[in-house]
Amino acid sequence: MSKSQLAGTAEILRASQKDEEYMRYMRNLLADITQRCLGIPFWMKWKDLSNTFSDAVFFSLTTLSGLQTLGEEYANIIQIDRNLKSIPSKWARFTDVSLRTFGCYFLLKFQTWIENQLSSLPQAESNDDNTNIANLKIYLPIVFKAISVLQRIHLIAFYLYGNYYNISKRLTGINYLVIRRWLSHPDQQTSYKVLGWIAATQLFLSLAINMYAISSKPSVSVKKKESNSGEVVNSKNQCSLCFEKRSYSTATPCGHLFCWSCITSWMQNKEECPLCRESFPPSKLILLQNYY
C-alpha cells in the first residue's frame, strides 16, 4: 500500500453523486409501491422513514456486503481503513452505514419530540420555572442550528483537504483509494479549495446575519398547523394529501389545492400533481394569499 494513492475530492464527489442517483431511484420506487398499496396519506406520514429504509437497503447490498457501491465502481475508488492497509472492518462499515442512514432521521425526530414536549409543558407555578422553560424554548433551536453549522464546517473541510465527504466516514476513519491511478486528477484539488474558501466566507456572513437577526427580533416559524377537535373540515378547505384543513393553500397549474408543506414535500419525490398526475416543476406552484 506504499504506492497507493488516496482518492481526491473530485473522485469522491463523483462517486457520491452517482450513488445519490441510484438511491433516489430506489426511494421513488419504494414510494410508488407504498402509495399504491397503502395510500398517499400513509406515505406522507412515513415518507422520511421510507426514504431512510430505502437508503439502508442500498448500503446493505453494497457496503455492508463488502462490495463497492455503484458510485464507487463508477469513480474507480475503494474504501480503506484509517491505516491504509486493509478494507474497513465489518464493525466500521456497519457504524458508517448506520450513522449515514439513520443518524439524521433520528436527530430530526428527537428535535421534533423535544419541541413538542416543551410546547406541551403546563404553566409553572413559580416565575423561575417559567423563565427556565422560556430559555429552553429560545436556546434549543440555537443548539440544533449549531449542529447544521458543524455539518457545513465539515463540508468546507472536505473541499479544502478532501478525504471525508460524509461525517460518518470521518468518525469511522474510512478513506478512499484510487484503483486506477492514471484516472485520477490531483490538479483539480485547487479549484475545490477555492470553492471551500467561498463556502467558508458564505458561512461566516450567514452567521453574522443570523446573529444580528436574533438580537433584533425573534424568529418566526413558517408553518404551525393547529387543529381544533371541535372544528369541522369540509371538502372545500380540505387538503387531499393530509386530509386536514389546508394551511397556506397552494394551487397547482392544473387547479388543485393543497397545503404548502404537503405539496412541496410531494414535489421533492415526484414533480407531478398527486390527483391528476399532470407534470410541472415546483416553480409553478402558487401560494394563495388571504385564501382559506
Side-chain angles (χ1 to χ4, degrees), residues 95-113:
T95 304
D96 170 44
V97 172
S98 299
L99 291 176
R100 186 172 178 179
T101 54
F102 296 103
C104 291
Y105 174 78
F106 284 113
L107 181 61
L108 291 175
K109 289 298 181 181
F110 177 72
Q111 178 182 358
T112 304
W113 180 80

Side-chain angles (χ1 to χ4, degrees), residues 104 107 144-157 165 167:
C104 291
L107 181 61
F144 288 106
K145 183 68 176 179
I147 297 176
S148 64
V149 171
L150 290 177
Q151 293 176 336
R152 294 178 65 179
I153 293 175
H154 164 80
L155 185 60
I156 292 171
Y165 181 62
I167 294 180

Side-chain angles (χ1 to χ4, degrees), residues 32-99:
D32 187 65
I33 295 174
T34 304
Q35 293 166 21
R36 292 177 182 274
C37 297
L38 301 175
I40 294 177
F42 181 88
W43 176 81
M44 290 292 296
K45 181 179 180 181
W46 300 103
K47 177 175 68 73
D48 294 337
L49 182 60
S50 174
N51 293 337
T52 303
F53 175 76
S54 175
D55 295 347
V57 171
F58 176 81
F59 287 112
S60 296
L61 296 175
T62 54
T63 301
L64 287 183
S65 300
L67 304 174
Q68 290 175 284
T69 65
L70 298 175
E72 293 167 0
E73 185 177 355
Y74 172 79
N76 296 294
I77 59 177
I78 189 173
Q79 296 185 23
I80 198 75
D81 63 5
R82 64 175 71 249
N83 297 321
L84 307 181
K85 294 182 179 180
S86 62
I87 63 173
S89 63
K90 291 183 179 180
W91 173 250
R93 284 179 281 145
F94 175 78
T95 304
D96 170 44
V97 172
S98 299
L99 291 176

Side-chain angles (χ1 to χ4, degrees), residues 126-177:
S126 62
N127 293 330
D128 293 338
D129 292 339
N130 286 330
T131 303
N132 294 332
I133 294 175
N135 290 334
L136 281 175
K137 292 181 178 180
I138 292 175
Y139 292 109
L140 189 63
I142 299 177
V143 173
F144 288 106
K145 183 68 176 179
I147 297 176
S148 64
V149 171
L150 290 177
Q151 293 176 336
R152 294 178 65 179
I153 293 175
H154 164 80
L155 185 60
I156 292 171
F158 168 73
Y159 285 135
L160 293 177
Y161 305 106
N163 297 342
Y164 304 110
Y165 181 62
N166 302 107
I167 294 180
S168 59
K169 290 287 192 295
R170 186 179 297 275
L171 295 177
T172 54
I174 297 178
N175 292 280
Y176 282 108
L177 287 182

Side-chain angles (χ1 to χ4, degrees), residues 8 50 52 96 112 116-117 149 154 158 190 234 260 273 276 284:
S50 174
T52 303
D96 170 44
T112 304
N116 292 336
Q117 290 294 113
V149 171
H154 164 80
F158 168 73
T190 303
N234 55 46
W260 169 259
C273 177
C276 65
K284 295 294 184 179

Side-chain angles (χ1 to χ4, degrees), residues 23 31 37 44 57 64 83 90 131 151 195 197 201 219 224 227 263 266 269 272:
M23 291 163 64
C37 297
M44 290 292 296
V57 171
L64 287 183
N83 297 321
K90 291 183 179 180
T131 303
Q151 293 176 336
L195 182 61
W197 285 114
T201 304
S219 60
K224 291 184 179 179
S227 58
I263 189 60
W266 172 274
N269 292 273
E272 62 181 21

